[in-house]
Amino acid sequence: GDVYKRQLDAFVFTGYSPTSYISNARTLMKDSLKRLPIFGGVFDRVGHFPVYFKSEEGGAFGVDPVKQAPVNERVQTHLETGGRIALFPEGQVNKNPTTLMPFRNGTFSTIIKHKLPVYYVVMVGNDTVWPASSSTGVGAPTTIDIAIGSIPLDHEVESDPAALSKKCQAAVQQTLDEINAKRAKGGL
């Protein structure tokens, strides 16, 4: 999964990913994102899966089980037929680019259920190019630093979504801290 910290992240992730990966990858995205100009039109055409939250309030991640059930079946079929899922586990735009928000446990239920490997992408600098306060991406030029890693899992042991969520968040936060420290020293 990728950490969804700014609006630009999905575009950078897509552009940076190899075609062999991205051509069969889908993501779970809040259904209301379909209403965004440009991005929303791409949502359906690419085949991303909607998430029907009960509330649009930030941090409220309860889903509507009736609306979500058929989507979950499509996700399962996608994964069983060799599809990939790219997840943005914070679930919303993070207004503090140095500290990750708690990861959603539902993301990790999917990982556990399907015994998926976990790879992560951390991007630093996107918030300068496309600030959270800008709906049009008007920011400042900068270098975007990208780190890619994996989190080893033992699917025979890892069965608690909340514990796996915390484990992954800690690993990704460590990578984010390392990138920020290098940037602060002028090392990247």
Side-chain angles (χ1 to χ4, degrees), residues 103-118:
F103 287 2
R104 298 184 333 258
N105 291 343
T107 297
F108 297 93
S109 295
T110 301
I111 290 167
I112 290 169
K113 179 179 180 181
H114 296 282
K115 297 183 177 182
L116 301 174
V118 174

Side-chain angles (χ1 to χ4, degrees), residues 116-140:
L116 301 174
V118 174
Y119 301 96
Y120 63 89
V121 177
V122 176
M123 294 178 265
V124 177
N126 293 2
D127 58 307
T128 302
V129 176
W130 192 335
S133 61
S134 173
S135 61
T136 59
V138 177

